[in-house]
Amino acid sequence: MTLPSATPTPHVSPRDRDPRHDEGNVVVLRGTITTLPNLRELSSGSVVEATLVTHTLVGGLVVREPVPLVWDPEVSSVALLDRVIVRGRVRQRFFRSGGVTASRTEVVVTEIVPVTRRKTVRISVSRAAAELDRLAGG
């Protein structure tokens, strides 16, 4: 059996794209930074990486769920054990490591706010809700 050859996806400039067909994802997380944020050089440029651990109640048990975060150093700075709200999007990144292709799913941070800054947290969550509304066509 012969598989059909792949056809390239045509490039559509953002100016010509119909915004009613935009797809995207929005994520809002609350948790604790559990690894020291560190600056890493990726092929796409320098980014800060850290791990956020969320706690979820599942069947009466608290489950620790680590979430890898990446962001531009200009977005914000956080420290180990900071309790934060994160707004961003989920992406899967592919890269070569040791001669093989590997992947990593991570949250690309748009905004990161200490939970103690309640007014700023409300604004960030409102922005996420507005973005979801826009994506839903509302």
Side-chain angles (χ1 to χ4, degrees), residues 76 83 85 112-123:
S76 181
R83 292 179 48 229
I85 299 291
I112 188 165
V113 181
V115 295
T116 55
R117 297 180 58 202
R118 294 179 190 271
K119 183 177 179 181
T120 308
V121 166
R122 281 194 298 276
I123 291 168

mmCIF file of all heavy atoms in Angstrom, residues 76 83 85 112-123:
data_model
loop_
_atom_site.group_PDB
_atom_site.id
_atom_site.type_symbol
_atom_site.label_atom_id
_atom_site.label_comp_id
_atom_site.label_asym_id
_atom_site.label_seq_id
_atom_site.Cartn_x
_atom_site.Cartn_y
_atom_site.Cartn_z
ATOM 1 N N SER A 76 8.283 38.047 33.825
ATOM 2 C CA SER A 76 8.242 38.157 35.274
ATOM 3 C C SER A 76 9.409 37.390 35.863
ATOM 4 O O SER A 76 10.053 36.599 35.200
ATOM 5 C CB SER A 76 6.931 37.570 35.803
ATOM 6 O OG SER A 76 6.875 37.686 37.199
ATOM 7 N N ARG A 83 4.075 31.064 45.710
ATOM 8 C CA ARG A 83 2.733 30.597 45.344
ATOM 9 C C ARG A 83 2.194 31.587 44.324
ATOM 10 O O ARG A 83 2.140 32.786 44.597
ATOM 11 C CB ARG A 83 1.849 30.514 46.578
ATOM 12 C CG ARG A 83 2.334 29.390 47.505
ATOM 13 C CD ARG A 83 1.518 29.253 48.771
ATOM 14 N NE ARG A 83 0.088 29.234 48.509
ATOM 15 C CZ ARG A 83 -0.788 29.993 49.177
ATOM 16 N NH1 ARG A 83 -0.411 30.818 50.113
ATOM 17 N NH2 ARG A 83 -2.075 29.915 48.898
ATOM 18 N N ILE A 85 -0.282 32.434 40.490
ATOM 19 C CA ILE A 85 -1.284 32.151 39.465
ATOM 20 C C ILE A 85 -0.574 32.339 38.132
ATOM 21 O O ILE A 85 0.121 33.339 37.934
ATOM 22 C CB ILE A 85 -2.487 33.121 39.555
ATOM 23 C CG1 ILE A 85 -3.195 33.012 40.903
ATOM 24 C CG2 ILE A 85 -3.448 32.919 38.388
ATOM 25 C CD1 ILE A 85 -3.925 31.718 41.130
ATOM 26 N N ILE A 112 2.479 35.749 35.100
ATOM 27 C CA ILE A 112 2.647 35.000 36.342
ATOM 28 C C ILE A 112 2.552 36.006 37.492
ATOM 29 O O ILE A 112 3.228 37.031 37.468
ATOM 30 C CB ILE A 112 3.964 34.192 36.340
ATOM 31 C CG1 ILE A 112 4.041 33.269 37.521
ATOM 32 C CG2 ILE A 112 5.170 35.080 36.231
ATOM 33 C CD1 ILE A 112 5.115 32.196 37.382
ATOM 34 N N VAL A 113 1.662 35.735 38.449
ATOM 35 C CA VAL A 113 1.345 36.700 39.490
ATOM 36 C C VAL A 113 1.364 36.005 40.853
ATOM 37 O O VAL A 113 0.757 34.942 41.008
ATOM 38 C CB VAL A 113 -0.071 37.292 39.257
ATOM 39 C CG1 VAL A 113 -0.431 38.315 40.321
ATOM 40 C CG2 VAL A 113 -0.197 37.877 37.869
ATOM 41 N N PRO A 114 2.018 36.588 41.849
ATOM 42 C CA PRO A 114 1.941 36.016 43.205
ATOM 43 C C PRO A 114 0.491 36.019 43.692
ATOM 44 O O PRO A 114 -0.248 36.988 43.448
ATOM 45 C CB PRO A 114 2.798 36.969 44.048
ATOM 46 C CG PRO A 114 3.673 37.685 43.070
ATOM 47 C CD PRO A 114 2.899 37.761 41.794
ATOM 48 N N VAL A 115 0.067 34.949 44.367
ATOM 49 C CA VAL A 115 -1.327 34.858 44.818
ATOM 50 C C VAL A 115 -1.677 35.968 45.804
ATOM 51 O O VAL A 115 -2.854 36.286 45.978
ATOM 52 C CB VAL A 115 -1.655 33.473 45.425
ATOM 53 C CG1 VAL A 115 -1.544 32.387 44.386
ATOM 54 C CG2 VAL A 115 -0.816 33.186 46.637
ATOM 55 N N THR A 116 -0.694 36.557 46.446
ATOM 56 C CA THR A 116 -0.952 37.621 47.414
ATOM 57 C C THR A 116 -1.404 38.922 46.753
ATOM 58 O O THR A 116 -1.964 39.786 47.416
ATOM 59 C CB THR A 116 0.308 37.904 48.255
ATOM 60 O OG1 THR A 116 1.398 38.201 47.362
ATOM 61 C CG2 THR A 116 0.663 36.704 49.113
ATOM 62 N N ARG A 117 -1.178 39.064 45.455
ATOM 63 C CA ARG A 117 -1.604 40.275 44.731
ATOM 64 C C ARG A 117 -2.996 40.035 44.149
ATOM 65 O O ARG A 117 -3.174 39.844 42.953
ATOM 66 C CB ARG A 117 -0.583 40.624 43.658
ATOM 67 C CG ARG A 117 0.783 40.955 44.266
ATOM 68 C CD ARG A 117 1.819 41.299 43.250
ATOM 69 N NE ARG A 117 1.395 42.437 42.443
ATOM 70 C CZ ARG A 117 1.881 42.697 41.235
ATOM 71 N NH1 ARG A 117 2.787 41.902 40.698
ATOM 72 N NH2 ARG A 117 1.468 43.749 40.555
ATOM 73 N N ARG A 118 -3.990 40.037 45.021
ATOM 74 C CA ARG A 118 -5.354 39.620 44.654
ATOM 75 C C ARG A 118 -5.958 40.414 43.495
ATOM 76 O O ARG A 118 -6.597 39.847 42.617
ATOM 77 C CB ARG A 118 -6.264 39.691 45.873
ATOM 78 C CG ARG A 118 -5.878 38.691 46.938
ATOM 79 C CD ARG A 118 -6.803 38.819 48.143
ATOM 80 N NE ARG A 118 -6.330 38.050 49.257
ATOM 81 C CZ ARG A 118 -6.633 36.778 49.478
ATOM 82 N NH1 ARG A 118 -7.403 36.135 48.639
ATOM 83 N NH2 ARG A 118 -6.164 36.152 50.544
ATOM 84 N N LYS A 119 -5.773 41.725 43.490
ATOM 85 C CA LYS A 119 -6.344 42.534 42.410
ATOM 86 C C LYS A 119 -5.719 42.145 41.070
ATOM 87 O O LYS A 119 -6.422 41.990 40.065
ATOM 88 C CB LYS A 119 -6.134 44.022 42.695
ATOM 89 C CG LYS A 119 -6.759 44.921 41.664
ATOM 90 C CD LYS A 119 -6.594 46.390 42.022
ATOM 91 C CE LYS A 119 -7.218 47.278 40.957
ATOM 92 N NZ LYS A 119 -7.041 48.695 41.266
ATOM 93 N N THR A 120 -4.402 41.960 41.041
ATOM 94 C CA THR A 120 -3.716 41.573 39.807
ATOM 95 C C THR A 120 -4.128 40.170 39.383
ATOM 96 O O THR A 120 -4.269 39.893 38.191
ATOM 97 C CB THR A 120 -2.186 41.666 39.995
ATOM 98 O OG1 THR A 120 -1.875 42.960 40.504
ATOM 99 C CG2 THR A 120 -1.453 41.457 38.690
ATOM 100 N N VAL A 121 -4.356 39.277 40.350
ATOM 101 C CA VAL A 121 -4.833 37.921 40.030
ATOM 102 C C VAL A 121 -6.206 38.010 39.359
ATOM 103 O O VAL A 121 -6.450 37.361 38.338
ATOM 104 C CB VAL A 121 -4.891 37.040 41.298
ATOM 105 C CG1 VAL A 121 -5.702 35.776 41.042
ATOM 106 C CG2 VAL A 121 -3.486 36.693 41.767
ATOM 107 N N ARG A 122 -7.109 38.825 39.906
ATOM 108 C CA ARG A 122 -8.446 38.977 39.307
ATOM 109 C C ARG A 122 -8.350 39.505 37.876
ATOM 110 O O ARG A 122 -9.053 39.037 36.979
ATOM 111 C CB ARG A 122 -9.318 39.904 40.157
ATOM 112 C CG ARG A 122 -9.912 39.231 41.376
ATOM 113 C CD ARG A 122 -11.026 40.060 42.000
ATOM 114 N NE ARG A 122 -10.576 41.365 42.476
ATOM 115 C CZ ARG A 122 -10.010 41.594 43.645
ATOM 116 N NH1 ARG A 122 -9.814 40.598 44.481
ATOM 117 N NH2 ARG A 122 -9.652 42.812 43.997
ATOM 118 N N ILE A 123 -7.459 40.452 37.646
ATOM 119 C CA ILE A 123 -7.280 41.012 36.299
ATOM 120 C C ILE A 123 -6.765 39.934 35.347
ATOM 121 O O ILE A 123 -7.253 39.799 34.224
ATOM 122 C CB ILE A 123 -6.332 42.229 36.338
ATOM 123 C CG1 ILE A 123 -7.008 43.390 37.065
ATOM 124 C CG2 ILE A 123 -5.897 42.630 34.930
ATOM 125 C CD1 ILE A 123 -6.068 44.532 37.415
#
